[in-house]
Amino acid sequence: MKSRSPAKTGYYVLEGINSFATAYYFNYLMFLLQRDHGFTNLHTLGIGAIHGFLYVGASWFAGRFGQRHGYFTSLRIGFGGMAAGIALGWLVPSAAAQVAAMLVWTVTMCFTWPMLEALVAEHEPHDRLPQRIGLYNVTWAGAGTAGYFLGGSIFERLGASSLYWLPILLHLLLFAATFVLERRHDRWLATAPPAETWHPDPEVQSRKPRFFQQLAWIGNPFAYMAMNTLLAVVPGIAANAGLSIEQAGQLMAVWYGVRTATFLLLWHWHGWHYRFGWFLGAMVLLIAGFIAIMTTRQLWILVLGQVAFGWATGLLYYSSLFYALDGSETKGEHGGIHEAFIGLGIGAGPAVSTAALWFSGSTFAPAVAVSGALLIGLAGSVAVWKRGRAGSSPSVEA
């Protein structure tokens, strides 16, 4: 029997290479700005805030654009634009050019992730969609872990110029691959059997509390607040600890790896579905892990904090996708909205940290300010759960 969905291997390859390239370029650009241009935590946090808020609008627009003009057209704009943006930073070595290049790269990157999410999820029967989403999560997280873990070694052994030529090469490779994948996709559409229309069972859906989607909308942006605050100050943490760029990349990749392992576990084990206790635990561990990483000078606490942080960010991200997709269709526009929510967290974390550091001057100010914001998110989650539980079946589990 012919499959009701096209082959998706090529899309996962695009996703993995894109994740590796973006993890290497963005994270190690922070090290380059600190080393070669004298940027402090205040500067890198400010850049992170601009990057995040730009990501919000660009993702929302890109999702709508791809839905109207085609996923592969959007991908080519994205991959080509990312290569062009990085090339600007390579050709013009000034600090201003590096920031401008990163902003071009940010906008065009938003034309890739919503489309990759849509291509992986579309034309899938309902019973196979969770498997596709699970593999999608493991792929981008695993490749991102490799990009961060190996990035320091690449940067130091191949030179700072590899921050430019390697991602450019990878993005141009992805650009070329879209033509091949588009032809294959079009051939499948021309011969595909009619898709079966899936209608959710009202009785089954009634047992799935919809307020969990609201919880996911809270949890994922707050997780990205913590993540992108951390990523912006890692160069400063490494400098204070006397770590080389290579050592910092390997040490601070622990939470990346734990997040990947978390995705793998949640993909195959469904006991966390619609259970508030797992969500609440992730929010608590997010706060505890963030504080530990940002404030400790003890290696064992730093590693343990990253384990907690990796689990928390993994479950909160997976929740965001799962609760949004369960019982609904996934399209490019939906992917843009999902990425826009991520952008809110990406921008808000560094913005709050920048303001706190600017006004107080204390090196602990970002940790205190973002932790306070995370506590607000935790309180908001409890409030949503209580309100939702009061209006749901008494059988809803904590």
Side-chain angles (χ1 to χ4, degrees):
M1 178 181 296
K2 184 180 291 186
S3 172
R4 286 180 289 139
S5 64
K8 302 292 179 78
T9 303
Y11 306 146
Y12 290 115
V13 172
L14 293 187
E15 173 203 358
I17 295 175
N18 198 37
S19 182
F20 181 93
T22 55
Y24 178 49
Y25 171 71
F26 182 77
N27 291 315
Y28 287 92
L29 177 65
M30 299 297 121
F31 283 96
L32 181 139
L33 291 174
Q34 179 208 53
R35 188 193 71 175
D36 294 354
H37 300 283
F39 277 38
T40 65
N41 281 349
L42 184 64
H43 297 123
T44 54
L45 285 167
I47 291 173
I50 297 171
H51 161 73
F53 290 131
L54 187 60
Y55 195 97
V56 176
S59 293
W60 180 83
F61 173 81
R64 294 169 64 89
F65 177 91
Q67 195 65 50
R68 286 160 176 74
H69 301 285
Y71 297 156
F72 291 97
T73 299
S74 181
L75 285 174
R76 283 192 280 272
I77 292 173
F79 295 139
M82 293 165 80
I86 298 173
L88 170 63
W90 194 9
L91 294 172
V92 185
S94 68
Q98 301 308 307
V99 175
M102 187 272 291
L103 296 181
V104 172
W105 175 87
T106 297
V107 171
T108 52
M109 176 177 59
C110 295
F111 284 80
T112 65
W113 292 119
M115 303 309 108
L116 291 171
E117 292 168 6
L119 285 168
V120 164
E122 279 203 337
H123 306 295
E124 290 294 334
H126 175 67
D127 58 351
R128 197 158 57 193
L129 181 59
Q131 295 299 314
R132 292 297 194 188
I133 296 301
L135 182 56
Y136 176 87
N137 285 340
V138 171
T139 300
W140 74 256
T145 300
Y148 199 88
F149 181 82
L150 299 174
S153 300
I154 296 171
F155 188 92
E156 291 198 337
R157 298 181 186 187
L158 298 184
S161 64
S162 67
L163 187 67
Y164 306 107
W165 62 257
L166 179 57
I168 290 173
L169 180 63
L170 293 176
H171 289 314
L172 290 178
L173 176 65
L174 296 177
F175 180 88
T178 61
F179 292 95
V180 177
L181 292 174
E182 184 176 24
R183 286 196 296 270
R184 183 181 301 172
H185 185 267
D186 290 344
R187 284 197 301 268
W188 180 87
L189 287 178
T191 60
E196 296 180 9
T197 301
W198 176 73
H199 298 286
D201 185 334
E203 182 178 348
V204 173
Q205 292 301 309
S206 68
R207 297 196 297 268
K208 297 177 178 180
R210 303 314 300 171
F211 64 82
F212 273 85
Q213 189 176 80
Q214 299 174 27
L215 290 175
W217 290 340
I218 293 174
N220 204 33
F222 276 98
Y224 272 86
M225 280 187 69
M227 281 189 283
N228 281 73
T229 298
L230 176 62
L231 291 173
V233 301
V234 162
I237 294 175
N240 292 336
L243 300 175
S244 68
I245 295 177
E246 181 177 14
Q247 291 171 331
Q250 293 171 350
L251 178 61
M252 299 303 294
V254 170
W255 73 268
Y256 268 85
V258 173
R259 182 177 62 179
T260 303
T262 300
F263 284 156
L264 188 61
L265 174 63
L266 299 180
W267 176 20
H268 291 95
W269 176 70
H270 301 159
W272 58 276
H273 289 179
Y274 297 103
R275 297 196 179 200
F276 180 68
W278 287 98
F279 184 92
L280 179 66
M283 289 292 288
V284 172
L285 286 176
L286 178 73
I287 298 171
F290 176 76
I291 293 174
I293 297 170
M294 292 287 288
T295 60
T296 189
R297 293 182 179 272
Q298 300 294 320
L299 179 62
W300 70 271
I301 296 178
L302 180 62
V303 173
L304 188 61
Q306 288 191 74
V307 172
F309 194 75
W311 166 264
T313 54
L315 191 143
L316 292 172
Y317 181 90
Y318 212 124
S319 296
S320 176
L321 272 184
F322 178 79
Y323 294 136
L325 297 178
D326 190 33
S328 63
E329 293 185 8
T330 303
K331 296 182 178 179
E333 190 166 345
H334 173 272
I337 294 172
H338 170 74
E339 294 295 327
F341 270 105
I342 288 175
L344 286 175
I346 292 175
V352 169
S353 300
T354 300
L357 190 56
W358 176 270
F359 286 111
S360 73
S362 170
T363 56
F364 292 105
V368 173
V370 173
S371 296
L374 297 179
L375 286 172
I376 294 174
L378 176 63
S381 299
V382 173
V384 167
W385 175 69
K386 287 184 176 179
R387 185 172 63 250
R389 195 182 188 195
S392 301
S393 166
S395 64
V396 175
E397 297 186 52

